[in-house]
Amino acid sequence: MTNPWHDRQQSTVSIRQDDHRSPFQRDRARILHSAAFRRLQSKTQVMGSGQSDFYRTRLTHSLEAAQIGSGIVAQLKSKYPELTHALLPQEDSLIEALCLAHDIGHPPFGHGGEVALHYMMRDHGGFEGNGQTLRIVAKLEPFSKCHGMNLSRRTLLGLIKYPQTLNVLDNKQYPATLDNFRQLKASDWHPAKGLYLDDTDTLDWILAPLSQQDRDLFQQFKQNNGKHHKTKFKSLDCSIMELADDTAYGIHDLEDAIVTGVVHREDFEREVVTKLANISDDPWISEHINDLASHLFSEEHYIQKEAIGALVNYLITNITLVDLNEQLGIEFNEPLLRYNAQLPATVAQALQIFKDFVYEYVIKQTSIQRMEYRGQQVVMEIFEALASDPQRLLPTNTLKRLAQAKSDGLNEHRVIADYVSGMTDEYASKLYQTLFSAAATPNYREPNL
């Protein structure tokens, strides 16, 4: 009997002689060889892409998340050998694939680009980076004619962080449409976190093996009056990927800020060390945080690396596997939904302290916010120009997709959003100069994708 979670949307795939790879090893290979993955090398993570060769980009962040994901899987297999034997593949390629692909839907210029595209798509279904990730892997990447990378169903399920559509989750009262893009306030236009109504056919296919009860429960969300609603559940594989992502963000991205002098030790001791020392239920972190802080700000890089490694190890070794049915009193029948990887409450609190510090003292820094604002303007103006005269300004292959969408009665603006969101920071900046600067001369070739 075949496993439905190994199925692909396009059932006939190329069979290569003596190819003994698992479905998930093939998925990982397709992600690694995709144009969308390569573009992550020129997309902003936290510090600005292209500002320094040292800063992490979304590509190096994804590679680090994949490494952490493998470490999490090893820990869970050691702690729960019988349960994980039934739940997780023998090799680590599934979780590695999810970690490598989790950010490929993010547009140029970080969250500034996401806000910009959401504003430009406000009347056409919205835009959100995680929803775009699913769209890229399941529809856009040219590994198949109609189904993107044509990944296995389980891999696609693991990439869905928020299993509900934006039209259901969007509950925010937005300001009136602006007269000038420069007036756009990012905090007014953050999208809900979910999938596109345009991609419900893909979502229906992914969730097809679930019972109606499991599907209804999986797609539940928390009501949030005056703000976007939030989904409640994710699959086991997604929960592992998210912990790897959060660890890479909260610990490894902090390293960039420390080494480049963006954050100061006094701020770190006040906002992180003091708070962690007060976590009374966690003796390890309260006992070691002062030494770790000293090592993090050491002038010897190998000592900094030791501290970073210790913090990552602290988080990974504390991850547990929980039964949501027992924990929450619910009734998932599908094991991939019933079990999740989690941190104990006190360790999760410690990780949140690190993440909050990165957000407050790095991401919200004026220089970084100004870069996001600039990128926001670039993305909105490019989108407006392309939408105003697509036949003149869009490349040939995108025009073909636009004509097909129009013929099929689909969302034509989504095609333009796909094109703009796929740009790197550098490419978007060059296109902006080409379109709007009198002195600019095109010095790049459009990839034939």
Side-chain angles (χ1 to χ4, degrees), residues 89-124:
Q90 185 175 1
E91 18 77 24
D92 298 341
S93 51
L94 169 61
I95 302 304
E96 289 179 357
L98 298 180
C99 292
L100 292 171
H102 80 282
D103 265 355
I104 63 174
H106 281 263
F109 306 111
H111 291 291
E114 183 178 52
V115 165
L117 281 172
H118 183 56
Y119 177 75
M120 301 307 292
M121 290 291 290
R122 63 194 179 279
D123 298 324
H124 308 285

Side-chain angles (χ1 to χ4, degrees), residues 169-207:
L169 299 172
D170 195 317
N171 189 47
K172 189 172 181 179
Q173 297 300 313
Y174 293 105
T177 302
L178 303 171
D179 296 326
N180 190 307
F181 290 153
R182 294 182 182 180
Q183 299 171 354
L184 187 139
K185 188 177 180 181
S187 58
D188 289 338
W189 288 94
H190 285 300
K193 293 185 179 295
L195 307 174
Y196 302 142
L197 190 61
D198 298 317
D199 297 328
T200 50
D201 56 337
T202 301
L203 180 61
D204 288 341
W205 182 84
I206 295 169
L207 302 184

Side-chain angles (χ1 to χ4, degrees), residues 400-412:
K400 289 179 181 178
R401 289 190 54 238
L402 193 70
Q404 188 64 53
K406 186 174 183 179
S407 173
D408 295 341
L410 301 177
N411 187 350
E412 296 174 53

Side-chain angles (χ1 to χ4, degrees), residues 17 41 43 47 95 105 119 121 127 153 159 171 186 194 201 213 278 280 285 351 381 384 403 414 441:
Q17 185 176 3
Q41 67 188 308
K43 289 192 177 185
M47 315 294 280
I95 302 304
Y119 177 75
M121 290 291 290
F127 180 89
R153 182 184 265 119
L159 285 171
N171 189 47
D201 56 337
Q213 174 184 311
N278 291 330
S280 57
I285 195 69
L351 176 57
E381 293 203 34
E384 182 183 51
R414 181 65 63 198
T441 55

Side-chain angles (χ1 to χ4, degrees), residues 269-309:
E269 289 183 344
R270 182 180 64 255
E271 298 296 333
V272 176
V273 174
T274 301
K275 292 177 181 179
L276 289 176
N278 291 330
I279 300 179
S280 57
D281 294 337
D282 195 328
W284 188 90
I285 195 69
S286 57
E287 179 182 344
H288 291 92
I289 189 55
N290 284 298
D291 287 339
L292 288 170
S294 178
H295 293 165
L296 284 171
F297 287 88
S298 169
E299 293 182 0
E300 298 287 351
H301 291 324
Y302 76 91
I303 295 178
Q304 290 178 332
K305 286 292 186 185
E306 284 287 337
I308 292 291

